Amino acid sequence: RYVEAEISDRYGATTRSVSNLVEVRPLEDVTISRLSNITVGLLQSAQEVDNVEEVMQVLVASTAVQVSNVNCTLAPFKKCQALNREECFAVNQTCGRCLSGYID
């Protein structure tokens, strides 16, 4: 399944774009595994048609979904900073990696 669009401007320039449709679920239903599978599929499709712009869109969109889906309320920045760790961003309620110079 795909969506196709043709866009024109007032000067007569026209472009056509075709993109794959992706099933969108509420964020609470999206697992890392599911997101990874969707991302891989979209990247393969974009690479098959040699579309660098679409590859970048897939990477940015999948990153944005994952980052916006993380709950960091129990791992605030100051707490992570006091533990010499990076801020919470990828795993719910978990500080990031140890800062440089500290054991991970």
Side-chain angles (χ1 to χ4, degrees):
R1 299 181 336 180
Y2 65 94
V3 63
E4 185 175 335
E6 186 171 295
I7 300 117
S8 301
D9 67 15
R10 63 181 168 175
Y11 301 107
T14 302
T15 188
R16 182 174 164 261
S17 179
V18 178
S19 295
N20 293 321
L21 289 178
V22 177
E23 178 184 352
V24 177
R25 296 180 179 183
L27 289 179
E28 60 270 7
D29 290 345
V30 176
T31 64
I32 297 293
S33 176
R34 175 89 173 118
L35 181 61
S36 176
N37 290 339
I38 291 169
T39 302
V40 167
L42 290 172
L43 286 172
Q44 288 173 342
S45 295
Q47 288 173 333
E48 286 172 8
V49 295
D50 198 28
N51 188 334
V52 175
E53 183 178 327
E54 189 173 337
V55 168
M56 293 305 295
Q57 289 173 349
V58 169
L59 293 174
V60 169
S62 63
T63 302
V65 167
Q66 179 53 34
V67 169
S68 67
N69 195 28
V70 176
N71 181 344
C72 294
T73 57
L74 298 177
F77 175 73
K78 287 188 178 192
K79 179 180 179 183
C80 295
Q81 190 177 35
L83 296 170
N84 297 309
R85 298 182 71 88
E86 293 177 355
E87 64 185 300
C88 172
F89 71 95
V91 179
N92 285 337
Q93 315 300 2
T94 306
C95 296
R97 298 184 65 123
C98 292
L99 295 175
S100 179
Y102 295 90
I103 296 173
D104 195 2

